[in-house]
């Protein structure tokens, strides 16, 4: 019989943790035992794992000895405190927070782009990239390999599920309130999100960019292994439940035509091209991405204002490829090491 793994999901009651459990079951990951962990508040509740229900246990009192693989998605401070404890107990930790992403001795892996980095984990921790970087690089990785990326201009349109369950609840609550002529006071977001846009995700930095924007800079360079790549990002929260979208302009070192980009992406792993140049012939979060695995790319066209640049519209389910699916794909790479 092939090897079975004891797998822990930390943050099992959250928006990402729930989908980690469902994707582990859906992809038939060789789970010998599953452990669902969250805060003391949720201990004793049940979460779904395929057709089974699993009782949630309190992370604070759980003994990680014997866990083979731990998927963390309970926020940066929980990862900082508990991931090293799980790694010290022998688990391979796959962490969805930004706690370790920029540490030199922690690989940052998009499974289609730099899978080989999974083995390079001296601390037993592998970081899962930010959702916006993830979908962008699934599409841009092949372009970088072919023509070399010099600079990326990107504006994101990020759904509320990226802020977790409380983000989903806030959009629902505010939408219902406004349609009933009631107040829609912001709690989770910095301004009203229903019927609105907010050009602010994560903390402001000294340079005027937000941390969410700087993640696109730092993570792109680390994953593509090229510090020369320039990235100019603007990150915007939009009133969409699931699925991030990105308007991306890529300047390449060598000229590459829109046709060549389309051909490249048609065979790229994890990518689906939807680019028909007619009404509806492009991906949107609701019609294509939500609940599905691929990174969808459309609106591929040469930038007529620049000698070597192409525009793309990139859409993906931020909870699936942007978080839970990539974490499970990393776990599959670890499991395949034998
Ligand atoms: P809980 O439901 O017990 O609060 P989301 O990103 O959707 O908000 O989910 C965050 C996840 O992180 C939830 O599963 C949440 O569990 C978990 N979490 C939050 N704080 C802690 C904590 N102190 N210890 C363990 N898990 C936590």
């Amino acid at each position: 019989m092939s090897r079975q793994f004891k797998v822990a999901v930390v943050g099992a009651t959250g928006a990402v943790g729930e989908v980690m459990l469902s994707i582990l079951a859906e992809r038939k990951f060789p789970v010998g035992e599953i452990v669902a962990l969250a805060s003391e508040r949720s201990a004793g509740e049940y979460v779904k794992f395929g057709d089974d229900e699993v009782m949630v246990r309190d992370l604070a009192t759980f003994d990680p000895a014997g866990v083979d693989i731990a998927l963390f998605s309970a926020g940066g401070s929980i990862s900082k405190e508990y991931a090293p404890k799980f790694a010290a107990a022998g688990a391979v930790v796959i962490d969805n927070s930004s706690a370790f992403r920029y540490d030199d001795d922690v690989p940052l892996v998009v499974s289609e782009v730099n899978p080989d980095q999974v083995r390079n984990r001296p601390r037993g921790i592998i970081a899962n990239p930010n959702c916006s970087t993830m979908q962008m690089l699934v599409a841009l990785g092949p372009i970088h390999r072919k023509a070399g990326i010099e600079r990326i201009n990107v504006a994101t349109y990020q759904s509320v599920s990226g802020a977790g369950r409380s983000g989903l609840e806030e959009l629902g609550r505010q939408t219902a309130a406004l349609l009933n002529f009631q107040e829609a006071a912001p709690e989770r977001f910095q301004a009203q999100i229903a019927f609105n846009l907010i050009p602010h995700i994560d903390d402001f930095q000294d340079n005027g960019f937000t941390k969410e924007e700087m993640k696109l800079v730092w993570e792109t360079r680390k994953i593509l292994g090229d510090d020369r790549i320039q990235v100019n990002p603007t990150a915007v929260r939009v009133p969409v439940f699931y699925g991030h979208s990105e308007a991306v302009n890529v300047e390449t070192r060598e000229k590459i035509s829109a046709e060549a980009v389309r051909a490249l992406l048609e065979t790229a792993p994890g990518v689906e091209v939807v680019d028909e140049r007619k009404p509806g012939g492009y991906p949107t979060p609701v019609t294509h991405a939500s609940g599905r695995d691929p990174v969808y790319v459309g609106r591929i066209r040469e930038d007529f204002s620049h000698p070597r640049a192409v525009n793309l519209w990139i859409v993906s389910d931020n909870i699936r490829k942007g978080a839970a699916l990539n974490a499970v794909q990393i776990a599959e790479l670890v499991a395949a090491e034998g």
Side-chain angles (χ1 to χ4, degrees), residues 138 265-266 268-275 283 288 292-298 300 313 315:
V138 171
L265 294 182
E266 263 160 8
V271 177
E272 201 162 302
V273 174
V274 181
D275 191 23
H288 292 77
R292 299 207 180 92
D293 288 348
V295 170
Y296 295 89
V297 184
I300 303 169
W313 172 248
V315 186

Side-chain angles (χ1 to χ4, degrees), residues 65-200:
V67 172
D68 298 303
I69 296 176
L71 307 179
F72 272 69
S73 193
S77 57
I78 298 295
S79 291
K80 277 204 175 101
E81 182 174 352
Y82 291 96
K85 293 181 182 165
F86 276 66
V92 175
V93 171
I94 301 164
D95 182 40
N96 192 49
S97 81
S98 60
F100 308 106
R101 282 183 196 150
Y102 314 116
D103 295 1
D104 286 339
D105 51 3
V106 173
L108 182 64
V109 176
V110 179
S111 68
E112 293 84 355
V113 180
N114 61 339
D116 297 347
Q117 287 298 318
V118 159
R119 286 175 178 273
N120 181 20
R121 48 167 194 274
R123 287 160 69 185
I125 301 173
I126 302 161
N128 209 35
N130 176 257
C131 42
S132 295
T133 316
M134 188 91 72
Q135 68 182 64
M136 186 172 85
L137 294 191
V138 171
L140 299 194
I143 299 174
H144 182 58
R145 278 192 290 277
K146 182 85 179 170
I149 291 176
E150 201 163 74
R151 182 161 180 260
I152 300 166
N153 272 292
V154 51
T156 70
Y157 305 73
Q158 300 185 215
S159 69
V160 295
S161 53
R165 221 176 263 299
S166 57
L168 291 161
E169 284 162 6
E170 181 138 319
L171 176 58
R173 182 176 55 73
Q174 286 187 349
T175 305
L178 288 164
L179 292 174
N180 285 289
F181 307 102
Q182 289 163 359
E183 289 269 311
E187 288 170 18
R188 177 66 177 82
F189 297 111
Q190 303 82 357
Q192 177 187 313
I193 185 64
F195 309 104
N196 198 13
L197 306 168
I198 307 174
H200 172 194

Side-chain angles (χ1 to χ4, degrees), residues 11-15 38-39 41-42 59 73-74 78 164-166:
T13 54
S39 76
R41 293 180 289 276
S42 315
L59 173 66
S73 193
I78 298 295
R165 221 176 263 299
S166 57

Side-chain angles (χ1 to χ4, degrees), residues 292-311:
R292 299 207 180 92
D293 288 348
V295 170
Y296 295 89
V297 184
R299 303 297 323 280
I300 303 169
R301 62 211 192 275
E302 274 158 51
D303 172 359
F304 55 68
S305 71
H306 189 284
R308 299 177 318 282
V310 177
N311 292 308

